[in-house]
Amino acid sequence: MTLPPADPALRLRARAAAANPVGRFEPYARAVEPDGWDMPEEERLARTEVALERPRSVLTRNSSPDIPFDRSLNPYRGCEHGCIYCFARPSHSYLGLSPGLDFETKLVARPTAPEVLARELSKPGYKVAPLAIGTNTDPYQPIEGKYRIMRQILEVLRDFRHPVAIVTKGALIERDIDILAEMASMGLAQVGISVTTLNAELCRKLEPRAPSPARRLAAIRALAAAGVPVRAMVAPVIPVLTDTEAEAILAAVQEAGAGAATWILLRLPHEVAPLFVDWLRRNVPGQAEHVMSRLRAMRGGRENDPRFGSRMKGEGVEAQLLSLRFRVAAKRLGLDGKLPALDCSAFRVPPRVGDQLSLF
């Protein structure tokens, strides 16, 4: 059974979610009911709305053993790329919004994030370590072209000589190659580009407003040519739909200039599971049950496994075989190593106008 549509009169163009179920914290569910009048509703296009937020803090700390960083920053909430599988969708529930269509269309921009970041980095007790950006929603989603928050954040990090690791699938990152190349020359920047599939038609359905696979490979090529270390992320690997492409994706990103590669198995936390199943039934109905049965086989019989240590790679024979395939192909292509470590020794608080400078 598919989820009820967000609004029968709403025309969806390049959107992955068709439903707008309430978040898990809401006490009531909402449903569209006919009013009894035999009159057709006027069709309207679902448009992207952006609200502004002025945060008091922008650095988020974590202690997860599954990820190699302890702090991150996100310039935006929600993501217009609209990837149906996005594990960040449930975070929209904290805003009282739906992880479904709202996540793709009701976005939050944080225009003061650069100045707040500069203030936090200037605190006397701040201890430097690599900052991860794009860990929840994409910093180079389409609205970045208007708000330019990410570029300003990079300017702050460059001035502070602060190391940064960026995760994105947005080709807009090419706009900031000048700053990234400068930082990379000092060992301060590296980029992860996610490539889910090389099938443009499937990509359009899974990630409707994200760049095409060919465009992402071009971004890898441009970054690598500028001297920016690039890690390709084969993520998420979706059983049946994309798992057969692992070797082909690795070969393509290696040819484009990536220096390392990683993979992550599809994760379906909280509200993402019913949204993804609904997408399967609407887009690939003949494969829907096959996809989910294969996923459950890698998740201990469940649709999602949140446990540290297994949530990224899965468990069982099929997950082990997938991991082995990836490891063998990555080694053959020279992608099984790590990118050079980021330099934390150059960090400094830059002087501001009016500061008393040292004579020595």
Coordinates of all heavy atoms in Angstrom, one line a residue, residues 44-105:
R44 N -1.7 23.2 -8.7 CA -0.6 24.1 -8.5 C 0.7 23.4 -8.3 O 0.7 22.2 -7.9 CB -0.9 25.0 -7.2 CG -1.0 24.2 -5.9 CD -1.5 25.0 -4.8 NE -1.4 24.4 -3.5 CZ -2.2 23.4 -3.1 NH1 -3.2 23.0 -3.8 NH2 -2.0 22.8 -1.9
L45 N 1.8 24.0 -8.7 CA 3.1 23.4 -8.7 C 3.7 23.5 -7.3 O 3.7 24.5 -6.6 CB 4.0 24.1 -9.7 CG 5.4 23.6 -9.8 CD1 5.4 22.1 -10.4 CD2 6.2 24.5 -10.7
A46 N 4.3 22.4 -6.8 CA 5.0 22.4 -5.6 C 6.3 23.2 -5.7 O 7.2 22.8 -6.6 CB 5.3 21.0 -5.1
R47 N 6.4 24.3 -5.0 CA 7.6 25.1 -5.1 C 8.5 25.1 -3.9 O 8.0 24.8 -2.8 CB 7.2 26.6 -5.4 CG 6.4 26.7 -6.7 CD 6.2 28.2 -7.1 NE 5.4 28.3 -8.3 CZ 5.9 28.2 -9.5 NH1 7.2 28.0 -9.7 NH2 5.1 28.4 -10.6
T48 N 9.7 25.4 -4.0 CA 10.6 25.4 -2.9 C 10.5 26.7 -2.1 O 10.5 27.8 -2.7 CB 12.1 25.3 -3.4 OG1 12.2 24.1 -4.2 CG2 13.1 25.3 -2.2
E49 N 10.4 26.6 -0.8 CA 10.3 27.7 0.1 C 11.5 27.7 1.0 O 11.9 26.7 1.4 CB 9.0 27.7 0.9 CG 7.7 27.6 0.1 CD 6.5 27.3 1.0 OE1 6.6 27.4 2.3 OE2 5.5 26.9 0.5
V50 N 12.0 28.9 1.3 CA 13.2 29.0 2.1 C 13.0 30.0 3.3 O 12.6 31.1 3.1 CB 14.4 29.5 1.3 CG1 15.7 29.5 2.2 CG2 14.7 28.6 0.1
A51 N 13.1 29.5 4.5 CA 13.1 30.3 5.7 C 14.5 30.6 6.2 O 15.4 29.8 5.9 CB 12.3 29.6 6.8
L52 N 14.7 31.7 6.9 CA 16.0 32.0 7.4 C 16.1 31.8 8.9 O 15.1 32.0 9.6 CB 16.3 33.5 7.1 CG 16.2 33.9 5.6 CD1 16.6 35.4 5.5 CD2 17.1 33.1 4.8
E53 N 17.2 31.3 9.3 CA 17.5 31.0 10.7 C 18.8 31.7 11.1 O 19.8 31.7 10.4 CB 17.6 29.5 10.9 CG 18.0 29.1 12.3 CD 18.3 27.6 12.4 OE1 17.3 26.8 12.7 OE2 19.5 27.2 12.3
R54 N 18.8 32.3 12.3 CA 20.0 32.9 12.8 C 20.5 32.1 14.0 O 20.0 32.4 15.2 CB 19.7 34.4 13.2 CG 19.3 35.2 12.0 CD 19.1 36.7 12.2 NE 18.8 37.4 11.0 CZ 19.7 37.8 10.1 NH1 21.0 37.6 10.3 NH2 19.3 38.4 9.0
P55 N 21.3 31.2 13.8 CA 21.8 30.3 14.9 C 22.7 30.9 15.9 O 23.5 31.9 15.6 CB 22.5 29.2 14.2 CG 23.1 29.9 13.0 CD 22.0 30.9 12.6
R56 N 22.6 30.5 17.2 CA 23.5 31.0 18.2 C 24.8 30.2 18.1 O 25.9 30.6 18.6 CB 22.9 30.8 19.6 CG 21.8 31.8 19.8 CD 21.1 31.6 21.1 NE 20.3 30.4 21.1 CZ 19.6 29.9 22.1 NH1 19.5 30.7 23.2 NH2 18.9 28.8 22.1
S57 N 24.8 29.0 17.6 CA 25.9 28.1 17.5 C 25.8 27.3 16.2 O 24.7 26.9 15.8 CB 26.1 27.2 18.7 OG 27.1 26.2 18.5
V58 N 26.9 27.0 15.5 CA 26.8 26.2 14.3 C 27.7 24.9 14.3 O 27.5 24.1 13.4 CB 27.3 27.1 13.1 CG1 26.3 28.2 12.8 CG2 28.7 27.6 13.2
L59 N 28.5 24.8 15.3 CA 29.3 23.6 15.4 C 28.5 22.5 16.2 O 28.1 22.7 17.3 CB 30.6 23.8 16.1 CG 31.6 24.8 15.4 CD1 32.9 25.0 16.2 CD2 31.9 24.2 14.0
T60 N 28.3 21.3 15.6 CA 27.7 20.2 16.2 C 28.7 19.1 16.5 O 29.6 18.8 15.7 CB 26.6 19.6 15.2 OG1 25.7 20.6 14.9 CG2 25.9 18.4 15.8
R61 N 28.7 18.6 17.8 CA 29.6 17.6 18.2 C 29.0 16.2 18.2 O 27.8 16.1 18.3 CB 30.1 17.9 19.6 CG 30.6 19.3 19.8 CD 32.0 19.5 19.3 NE 32.5 20.9 19.5 CZ 33.8 21.2 19.5 NH1 34.7 20.3 19.3 NH2 34.2 22.5 19.6
N62 N 29.8 15.2 17.9 CA 29.4 13.9 18.0 C 30.5 13.0 18.5 O 31.7 13.3 18.4 CB 28.9 13.4 16.6 CG 30.0 13.0 15.7 OD1 30.5 11.9 15.8 ND2 30.5 13.9 14.8
S63 N 30.1 11.8 18.9 CA 31.1 10.8 19.4 C 30.8 9.4 18.8 O 31.2 8.4 19.4 CB 31.0 10.7 21.0 OG 29.6 10.4 21.4
S64 N 30.3 9.4 17.6 CA 30.0 8.1 17.0 C 31.3 7.4 16.6 O 32.2 8.0 15.9 CB 29.1 8.3 15.7 OG 29.1 7.2 14.9
P65 N 31.4 6.1 16.9 CA 32.6 5.4 16.5 C 32.6 5.1 15.0 O 33.6 4.6 14.5 CB 32.6 4.1 17.3 CG 31.1 3.9 17.6 CD 30.5 5.3 17.7
D66 N 31.5 5.3 14.3 CA 31.4 4.9 12.9 C 31.9 6.0 11.9 O 32.1 5.8 10.7 CB 29.9 4.7 12.5 CG 29.4 3.3 13.1 OD1 30.3 2.5 13.3 OD2 28.2 3.2 13.3
I67 N 32.2 7.2 12.4 CA 32.6 8.3 11.5 C 33.9 8.9 12.1 O 34.1 9.0 13.3 CB 31.5 9.4 11.4 CG1 30.9 9.8 12.8 CG2 30.4 8.9 10.5 CD1 29.8 10.8 12.7
P68 N 34.8 9.4 11.2 CA 36.1 9.8 11.6 C 36.2 11.3 12.0 O 37.3 11.9 11.8 CB 36.9 9.5 10.3 CG 35.9 9.8 9.2 CD 34.6 9.4 9.7
F69 N 35.2 11.9 12.4 CA 35.2 13.3 12.8 C 34.4 13.5 14.1 O 33.4 12.8 14.3 CB 34.8 14.3 11.7 CG 33.4 14.0 11.2 CD1 32.3 14.5 11.8 CD2 33.2 13.1 10.1 CE1 31.0 14.2 11.3 CE2 31.9 12.8 9.6 CZ 30.8 13.4 10.2
D70 N 34.7 14.6 14.8 CA 33.9 14.8 16.1 C 33.1 16.1 16.0 O 32.5 16.5 17.0 CB 34.8 14.8 17.3 CG 35.8 16.0 17.3 OD1 35.9 16.8 16.3 OD2 36.5 16.2 18.3
R71 N 33.2 16.8 14.9 CA 32.5 18.1 14.8 C 32.0 18.3 13.3 O 32.7 17.9 12.4 CB 33.3 19.3 15.3 CG 34.5 19.6 14.4 CD 35.6 20.4 15.2 NE 36.1 19.5 16.2 CZ 37.0 20.0 17.1 NH1 37.4 21.2 17.1 NH2 37.5 19.2 18.1
S72 N 30.9 18.9 13.2 CA 30.4 19.2 11.8 C 29.6 20.5 11.8 O 29.3 21.1 12.8 CB 29.5 18.0 11.4 OG 28.4 17.9 12.3
L73 N 29.3 20.9 10.6 CA 28.5 22.1 10.4 C 27.6 21.9 9.2 O 28.0 21.4 8.2 CB 29.5 23.3 10.2 CG 28.9 24.7 10.0 CD1 30.0 25.8 10.4 CD2 28.4 25.0 8.6
N74 N 26.4 22.4 9.2 CA 25.4 22.4 8.1 C 24.9 23.7 7.9 O 24.2 24.3 8.7 CB 24.3 21.4 8.4 CG 24.8 19.9 8.4 OD1 25.0 19.3 7.3 ND2 25.1 19.3 9.5
P75 N 25.1 24.3 6.7 CA 24.6 25.7 6.4 C 23.1 25.7 6.1 O 22.5 26.7 6.2 CB 25.3 26.0 5.1 CG 26.5 25.1 5.0 CD 26.0 23.8 5.6
Y76 N 22.5 24.5 5.8 CA 21.1 24.5 5.5 C 20.4 23.3 6.2 O 21.0 22.3 6.6 CB 20.9 24.2 4.0 CG 21.5 25.3 3.2 CD1 22.8 25.1 2.5 CD2 20.9 26.6 3.0 CE1 23.4 26.1 1.8 CE2 21.5 27.6 2.3 CZ 22.8 27.3 1.7 OH 23.4 28.3 0.9
R77 N 19.1 23.4 6.4 CA 18.2 22.4 6.9 C 17.3 22.0 5.8 O 16.8 22.8 5.1 CB 17.4 22.8 8.2 CG 18.3 23.2 9.4 CD 17.4 23.6 10.5 NE 18.1 24.2 11.6 CZ 18.6 23.5 12.6 NH1 18.6 22.2 12.6 NH2 19.2 24.2 13.6
G78 N 17.1 20.7 5.6 CA 16.4 20.2 4.4 C 17.3 20.3 3.2 O 18.4 20.9 3.3
C79 N 16.9 19.6 2.1 CA 17.8 19.6 0.9 C 16.9 19.4 -0.3 O 16.2 18.5 -0.5 CB 18.7 18.4 1.1 SG 20.0 18.4 -0.3
E80 N 17.1 20.4 -1.2 CA 16.3 20.4 -2.4 C 16.7 19.3 -3.4 O 16.0 19.0 -4.3 CB 16.4 21.7 -3.1 CG 15.4 22.0 -4.2 CD 15.4 23.4 -4.8 OE1 16.4 24.1 -4.5 OE2 14.6 23.7 -5.6
H81 N 17.9 18.7 -3.2 CA 18.3 17.5 -4.1 C 17.2 16.5 -4.0 O 16.9 15.8 -5.0 CB 19.6 16.9 -3.6 CG 20.8 17.8 -4.1 ND1 22.0 17.7 -3.5 CD2 20.9 18.7 -5.1 CE1 22.8 18.5 -4.1 NE2 22.2 19.1 -5.1
G82 N 16.6 16.3 -2.8 CA 15.4 15.4 -2.7 C 15.7 13.9 -2.8 O 14.8 13.2 -3.2
C83 N 16.9 13.5 -2.5 CA 17.2 12.1 -2.6 C 16.2 11.3 -1.7 O 16.1 11.5 -0.5 CB 18.6 11.8 -2.2 SG 19.8 12.8 -3.1
I84 N 15.5 10.3 -2.2 CA 14.5 9.6 -1.5 C 15.0 8.8 -0.3 O 14.3 8.6 0.7 CB 13.6 8.7 -2.4 CG1 12.4 8.2 -1.7 CG2 14.5 7.6 -2.9 CD1 11.4 9.3 -1.2
Y85 N 16.2 8.4 -0.4 CA 16.8 7.5 0.6 C 17.6 8.3 1.7 O 18.1 7.7 2.6 CB 17.9 6.6 -0.1 CG 18.9 7.4 -0.9 CD1 19.9 8.1 -0.3 CD2 18.8 7.4 -2.3 CE1 20.8 8.8 -1.0 CE2 19.8 8.1 -3.0 CZ 20.7 8.8 -2.4 OH 21.6 9.6 -3.1
C86 N 17.6 9.6 1.6 CA 18.4 10.4 2.5 C 18.1 10.1 4.0 O 17.0 10.3 4.5 CB 18.2 11.9 2.2 SG 19.3 13.0 3.2
F87 N 19.2 9.8 4.7 CA 19.1 9.4 6.2 C 18.8 10.7 7.0 O 18.5 10.6 8.2 CB 20.3 8.7 6.7 CG 21.6 9.6 6.7 CD1 21.9 10.4 7.7 CD2 22.4 9.5 5.6 CE1 23.0 11.2 7.7 CE2 23.6 10.3 5.6 CZ 23.9 11.2 6.6
A88 N 19.0 11.9 6.4 CA 18.8 13.1 7.1 C 17.3 13.6 7.1 O 16.9 14.5 7.9 CB 19.6 14.3 6.5
R89 N 16.4 12.9 6.4 CA 15.0 13.3 6.3 C 14.4 13.4 7.7 O 13.6 14.3 8.0 CB 14.2 12.3 5.4 CG 14.5 12.5 3.9 CD 13.6 11.6 3.1 NE 13.8 11.9 1.7 CZ 13.0 12.7 1.0 NH1 12.1 13.4 1.6 NH2 13.2 12.9 -0.3
P90 N 14.6 12.4 8.6 CA 14.0 12.5 9.9 C 14.4 13.7 10.7 O 13.6 14.1 11.7 CB 14.5 11.2 10.6 CG 14.8 10.3 9.5 CD 15.3 11.1 8.4
S91 N 15.5 14.4 10.4 CA 15.8 15.6 11.1 C 14.8 16.7 10.9 O 14.7 17.7 11.7 CB 17.2 16.1 10.7 OG 17.3 16.5 9.4
H92 N 14.0 16.7 9.9 CA 13.0 17.7 9.6 C 11.9 17.6 10.7 O 11.1 18.6 10.9 CB 12.4 17.6 8.2 CG 12.6 18.8 7.4 ND1 13.8 19.6 7.4 CD2 11.8 19.5 6.6 CE1 13.7 20.6 6.6 NE2 12.4 20.6 6.1
S93 N 11.7 16.4 11.3 CA 10.7 16.3 12.3 C 11.0 17.2 13.5 O 10.0 17.6 14.2 CB 10.7 14.8 12.8 OG 10.3 14.0 11.7
Y94 N 12.2 17.5 13.8 CA 12.5 18.4 14.9 C 12.0 19.8 14.7 O 11.9 20.6 15.6 CB 14.0 18.4 15.1 CG 14.6 17.1 15.6 CD1 15.4 16.3 14.8 CD2 14.4 16.7 16.9 CE1 15.9 15.1 15.2 CE2 14.9 15.5 17.4 CZ 15.7 14.7 16.5 OH 16.2 13.5 17.0
L95 N 11.7 20.1 13.4 CA 11.2 21.5 13.1 C 9.7 21.5 13.0 O 9.1 22.5 12.6 CB 11.8 21.9 11.7 CG 13.3 21.9 11.6 CD1 13.7 22.4 10.2 CD2 13.9 22.9 12.6
G96 N 9.1 20.3 13.3 CA 7.6 20.2 13.1 C 7.2 20.1 11.7 O 6.0 20.3 11.3
L97 N 8.1 19.7 10.8 CA 7.8 19.5 9.4 C 7.9 18.1 9.0 O 8.5 17.2 9.8 CB 8.8 20.3 8.5 CG 8.8 21.8 8.7 CD1 9.9 22.5 8.0 CD2 7.5 22.4 8.3
S98 N 7.4 17.7 7.8 CA 7.4 16.3 7.4 C 8.8 15.9 6.8 O 9.4 16.7 6.0 CB 6.3 16.1 6.4 OG 6.4 14.8 5.8
P99 N 9.2 14.7 7.1 CA 10.4 14.2 6.4 C 10.2 13.9 5.0 O 11.1 13.5 4.2 CB 10.7 12.9 7.2 CG 10.0 13.1 8.5 CD 8.8 13.8 8.2
G100 N 8.9 13.9 4.5 CA 8.6 13.6 3.2 C 8.8 14.8 2.2 O 9.9 15.3 2.1
L101 N 7.7 15.3 1.6 CA 7.8 16.4 0.6 C 8.4 17.7 1.3 O 9.1 18.5 0.7 CB 6.5 16.6 0.0 CG 6.5 17.6 -1.2 CD1 7.4 17.0 -2.3 CD2 5.0 17.8 -1.7
D102 N 8.0 17.9 2.6 CA 8.5 19.1 3.2 C 10.0 19.2 3.2 O 10.6 20.3 3.1 CB 8.0 19.2 4.7 CG 6.6 19.6 4.8 OD1 6.0 20.0 3.8 OD2 6.1 19.5 6.0
F103 N 10.7 18.0 3.4 CA 12.2 18.0 3.5 C 12.8 18.5 2.2 O 13.9 19.1 2.2 CB 12.6 16.6 3.7 CG 14.1 16.4 3.8 CD1 14.8 16.7 5.0 CD2 14.8 15.9 2.7 CE1 16.2 16.6 5.0 CE2 16.2 15.8 2.8 CZ 16.9 16.1 4.0
E104 N 12.1 18.3 1.1 CA 12.6 18.8 -0.2 C 12.2 20.2 -0.6 O 12.8 20.8 -1.4 CB 12.1 17.8 -1.3 CG 12.4 16.4 -1.1 CD 11.8 15.5 -2.1 OE1 11.7 15.9 -3.3 OE2 11.3 14.4 -1.8
T105 N 11.1 20.7 0.0 CA 10.5 21.9 -0.5 C 10.5 23.0 0.6 O 10.4 24.2 0.2 CB 9.0 21.7 -0.9 OG1 8.3 21.1 0.2 CG2 9.0 20.7 -2.1

